[in-house]
Amino acid sequence: MPSNVEIKAVLRDINYLTQRAKDLSASEGTVIRQQDTFFKVPTGRLKLRDFQDGTGQLIFYERPDTEGPKLSNYSITPTSDPKGLVKVLTDALGLVGQVKKERTLFIVGQTRVHVDSVEGLGVFMELEVVMKENQSREEGVSIANQLMLELGVKEADLIDGAYMDLLLKDQKNGYRL
């Protein structure tokens, strides 16, 4: 199963981080609009990512809900009918909720740097160090930590869990970043 080392952080200065990501990736980034629909499953997380253009991906992943770099194992399959698949999976498994975001993607080495504007939550940064076949978790964590430094991400801004978790907390507790 493919894996990555991932971190998420609240963005305090979107302009600074975006400019640093542009510099490090030598690109303007790619803007992607996504709607992630999460389904009830006994372990891990299952989501259907709708790219809002008639295409999508069904993604299953397992990852601890802790702050800082964490290893995530995942599997992905494409779909050309995301809306139909959402209906079937909702009927079969039940719906947890949806996350709508606009993501700017930058590639820095083997790392996907995301600048995410999440509807109802705010602006975040996510790093996904895409692990090579024989690479250790420790190597991935080291790459993530170094990139955090280069992007000016502070440990105090790290968050745990998924955007869906934050939205659910917000609904239950009035949680705000």
Side-chain angles (χ1 to χ4, degrees):
M1 186 178 282
S3 64
N4 62 38
V5 169
E6 180 178 311
I7 66 152
K8 274 190 179 65
V10 175
L11 268 185
R12 305 290 178 199
D13 187 344
I14 187 171
N15 295 326
Y16 176 81
L17 187 127
T18 300
Q19 186 57 54
R20 290 293 299 139
K22 286 178 180 181
D23 294 345
L24 292 169
S25 68
S27 78
E28 291 298 308
T30 303
V31 175
I32 306 165
R33 287 171 186 77
Q34 302 174 340
Q35 179 172 298
D36 292 343
T37 303
F38 287 80
F39 304 96
K40 295 177 183 175
V41 291
T43 61
R45 297 174 199 269
L46 181 66
K47 67 182 173 185
L48 190 290
R49 175 161 288 160
D50 185 337
F51 291 112
Q52 310 293 290
D53 65 357
T55 67
Q57 298 172 324
L58 184 61
I59 304 167
F60 173 76
Y61 65 98
E62 295 177 298
R63 157 186 95 214
D65 289 330
T66 57
E67 291 180 1
K70 51 200 152 278
L71 188 66
S72 176
N73 295 305
Y74 61 91
S75 54
I76 299 175
T77 191
T79 180
S80 59
D81 185 13
K83 290 180 184 6
L85 198 49
V86 163
K87 170 84 172 93
V88 169
L89 290 170
T90 299
D91 290 348
L93 301 172
L95 184 70
V96 172
Q98 292 184 322
V99 175
K100 295 177 184 176
K101 65 182 173 258
E102 182 173 286
R103 166 172 281 178
T104 305
L105 166 66
F106 302 92
I107 304 293
V108 179
Q110 72 187 77
T111 305
R112 297 169 55 92
V113 178
H114 303 143
V115 177
D116 292 339
S117 177
V118 182
E119 190 176 293
L121 282 181
V123 184
F124 300 84
M125 184 278 321
E126 182 179 86
L127 298 179
E128 291 179 351
V129 181
V130 180
M131 302 300 290
K132 296 177 182 172
E133 191 171 320
N134 293 318
Q135 212 167 16
S136 71
R137 178 191 175 281
E138 292 72 24
E139 287 176 274
V141 168
S142 176
I143 292 167
N145 285 332
Q146 180 60 39
L147 198 48
M148 279 176 53
L149 286 173
E150 292 175 16
L151 292 168
V153 176
K154 298 183 178 17
E155 282 198 40
D157 292 331
L158 297 179
I159 60 172
D160 59 356
Y163 299 137
M164 186 75 255
D165 299 329
L166 295 177
L167 285 168
L168 292 172
K169 277 185 194 175
D170 187 27
Q171 291 171 2
K172 289 181 184 175
N173 304 325
Y175 178 80
R176 274 283 179 234
L177 295 173

